[in-house]
């Protein structure tokens, strides 16, 4: 365990421990530059209709209702890069159980959580920072990261053994969310005018990658100075987020404003961040559905025309992640820096 912690550029400090210590001011390493801090305006509700889509309508006998639902998904993907779904097939009881299990994990004694302390080699396990830059500004959050697919990368011995049912519940949750991802990928393909299984095959078929990151945002004495997660867009295919059911915190960028949530560039990857709270802790789960690491990813040939040429060079997902890590890119800069000259 000691050698794992020493593999980071600086001693690892658990944010939850800082919060529980009763400090009145956060350490300087968590204070964000002024331009990254949440302003009072950012914290005010914005009259924005975040898309809410009822997936049950896709099973309707009414073809008009099915078409309308597909159109809503297409519009949300193009205009927002983000939408909320209801009647999605993942049981509410399972979602509640999974959230509860992870909250219990983060409230275990520190020495029990430290058994799963991670390293920057894979990030798998219990962590409190990303990146190995010494002196970097840090986010006000702890997390647990685990691999689910491909099966060759799944090692349930690295998943928490406590609480007792954690491994079983997390495995069941991941299986159900995988089914939802498959359904969405087929819908995205159809909306792009492609064969229903095009995107799933392009991602590697049975060899796609999937992982889970559970985020814990402790109470923060100065929430106006820091963020739970800095602004970024996710590099993979789909992110399925299960938010805290009591405390809001996720914000997505829309038209240069931050909205709080209570391909060939046809579908957007939304920039998002997380704000923190001085009175309440939060738990959220992000499930990442990603391409197979060594498969070449490029715009579908059916979507490329003289008027709309390919915007990005072919690249494997592993190469893309390495590019992001080496260049320290976040948010829009990830894809903007990769765009092919026209």
């Amino acid at each position: 365990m000691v050698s794992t912690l020493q593999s980071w550029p600086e001693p690892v400090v658990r944010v939850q421990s800082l919060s529980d210590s009763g400090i009145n001011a956060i350490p300087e390493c968590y204070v964000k530059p002024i331009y990254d801090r949440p302003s009072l305006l950012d914290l005010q509700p914005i009259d924005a209709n975040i898309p809410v889509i009822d997936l049950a309508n896709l099973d309707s006998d009414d073809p008009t209702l099915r078409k309308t639902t597909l159109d809503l998904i297409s519009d949300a993907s193009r205009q927002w890069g983000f939408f909320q779904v209801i009647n999605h097939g993942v049981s509410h009881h399972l979602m509640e159980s999974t959230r509860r299990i992870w909250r219990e994990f983060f409230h275990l004694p520190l020495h029990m959580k430290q058994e799963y302390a991670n390293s920057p080699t894979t990030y798998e396990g219990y962590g409190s920072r990303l990146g190995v830059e010494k002196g970097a500004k840090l986010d006000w959050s702890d997390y647990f990261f685990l691999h689910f697919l491909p099966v060759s990368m799944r090692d349930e011995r690295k998943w928490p053994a406590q609480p007792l049912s954690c491994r079983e519940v997390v495995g069941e949750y991941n299986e159900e969310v995988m089914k939802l991802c498959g359904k969405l990928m087929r819908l995205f393909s159809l909306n792009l005018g492609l064969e229903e299984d095009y995107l799933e095959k392009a991602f590697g078929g049975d060899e796609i990658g999937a992982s889970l990151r559970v985020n814990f945002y402790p109470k923060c004495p100065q929430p106006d100075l820091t963020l739970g997660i800095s602004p970024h867009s996710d590099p993979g295919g789909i992110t399925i987020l299960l938010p805290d059911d009591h405390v809001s915190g996720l914000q997505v960028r829309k038209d240069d404003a931050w909205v709080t949530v209570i391909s060939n560039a046809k579908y957007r990857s939304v920039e998002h961040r997380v704000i923190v709270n001085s009175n309440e802790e939060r738990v959220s789960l992000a499930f990442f559905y990603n391409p197979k690491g060594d498969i070449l990813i490029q715009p579908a040939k059916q979507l490329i025309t003289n008027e709309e040429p390919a915007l990005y060079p072919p690249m494997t997902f592993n190469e893309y992640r390495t590019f992001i890590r080496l260049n320290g890119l976040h948010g829009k800069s990830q894809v903007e820096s990769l765009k092919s000259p026209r």
Side-chain angles (χ1 to χ4, degrees):
M1 179 183 69
V2 175
S3 62
T4 298
L5 293 179
Q6 288 179 339
S7 64
W8 294 99
E10 298 153 326
V12 174
V13 178
R14 303 306 179 188
V15 177
Q16 187 177 7
S17 297
L18 288 173
S19 177
D20 290 345
S21 71
I23 59 173
N24 295 317
I26 62 176
E28 183 63 27
C29 60
Y30 296 97
V31 177
K32 301 294 184 181
I34 292 177
Y35 55 81
D36 272 344
R37 298 176 194 172
S39 67
L40 289 176
L41 184 61
D42 291 335
L43 302 177
Q44 300 302 313
I46 295 177
D47 185 19
N49 295 317
I50 295 174
V52 179
I53 298 172
D54 188 346
L55 295 187
N57 291 337
L58 295 168
D59 299 320
S60 171
D61 293 330
D62 183 350
T64 302
L65 186 55
R66 293 199 302 272
K67 176 66 165 58
T68 299
T69 305
L70 282 169
D71 289 344
L72 288 172
I73 293 172
S74 179
D75 291 344
S77 301
R78 295 168 187 266
Q79 297 172 19
W80 283 80
F82 173 88
F83 55 90
Q84 300 177 79
V85 292
I86 58 175
N87 295 319
H88 40 65
V90 183
S91 109
H92 285 274
H93 175 72
L94 179 59
M95 292 190 294
E96 292 167 4
S97 298
T98 307
R99 263 191 304 243
R100 184 185 68 252
I101 285 287
W102 282 111
R103 192 180 297 275
E104 290 175 4
F105 169 79
F106 283 105
H107 282 285
L108 290 173
L110 181 58
H111 74 272
M112 296 179 68
K113 293 179 288 190
Q114 290 288 76
E115 294 178 12
Y116 303 96
N118 70 353
S119 77
T121 306
T122 66
Y123 291 107
E124 191 168 14
Y126 175 52
S128 299
R129 67 175 295 161
L130 296 172
V132 293
E133 179 187 350
K134 191 170 184 178
K137 292 296 184 181
L138 304 178
D139 292 333
W140 189 263
S141 58
D142 298 324
Y143 66 87
F144 198 102
F145 179 80
L146 58 87
H147 291 292
F148 186 63
L149 291 175
V151 175
S152 60
M153 292 188 66
R154 185 192 311 172
D155 186 353
E156 295 188 12
R157 294 171 299 177
K158 295 181 179 180
W159 301 7
Q162 298 288 337
L164 286 176
S165 57
C166 184
R167 292 174 179 173
E168 177 185 354
V169 171
V170 171
E172 183 181 355
Y173 174 80
N174 288 348
E175 291 283 2
E176 292 304 306
V177 176
M178 271 297 299
K179 295 176 185 176
L180 174 58
C181 288
K183 184 174 188 176
L184 290 171
M185 289 291 276
R186 292 189 289 276
L187 297 174
F188 294 152
S189 292
L190 291 173
N191 273 339
L192 288 169
L194 304 169
E195 292 294 325
E196 187 178 54
D197 61 353
Y198 181 92
L199 289 176
E200 284 186 289
K201 286 183 177 179
F203 270 43
D206 294 334
E207 299 181 272
I208 62 96
S211 55
L212 179 71
R213 173 173 160 149
V214 186
N215 301 301
F216 183 79
Y217 307 102
K219 299 175 186 178
C220 179
Q222 294 177 298
D224 55 322
L225 298 183
T226 191
L227 290 168
I229 294 183
S230 299
H232 68 286
S233 59
D234 297 331
I238 307 176
T239 300
I240 302 290
L241 182 75
L242 177 62
D244 194 288
D245 53 347
H246 295 299
V247 185
S248 62
L250 175 69
Q251 293 187 323
V252 296
R253 185 181 285 278
K254 180 71 165 71
D255 300 330
D256 293 323
W258 288 104
V259 180
T260 301
V261 177
I262 309 190
S263 188
N264 195 24
K266 293 183 182 294
Y267 288 169
R268 300 177 57 197
S269 176
V270 69
E271 187 179 7
H272 53 285
R273 68 180 187 182
V274 176
I275 55 175
V276 289
N277 191 297
S278 60
N279 299 314
E280 301 284 349
E281 65 184 33
R282 291 183 64 247
V283 173
S284 68
L285 287 73
F287 186 89
F288 304 107
Y289 181 98
N290 297 327
K292 184 173 181 284
D294 60 359
I295 198 168
L296 196 65
I297 302 297
Q298 56 189 326
K301 290 180 173 56
Q302 299 92 317
L303 302 180
I304 298 174
T305 65
N306 290 333
E307 293 74 28
E308 292 187 302
L311 297 178
Y312 313 105
M315 182 178 291
T316 69
F317 185 52
N318 285 343
E319 290 171 338
Y320 182 48
R321 285 188 292 194
T322 300
F323 177 83
I324 293 170
R325 184 169 64 250
L326 293 178
N327 290 276
L329 300 176
H330 298 283
K332 293 179 181 178
S333 58
Q334 289 180 6
V335 290
E336 292 297 326
S337 61
L338 281 171
K339 278 191 175 180
S340 303
R342 307 182 89 172

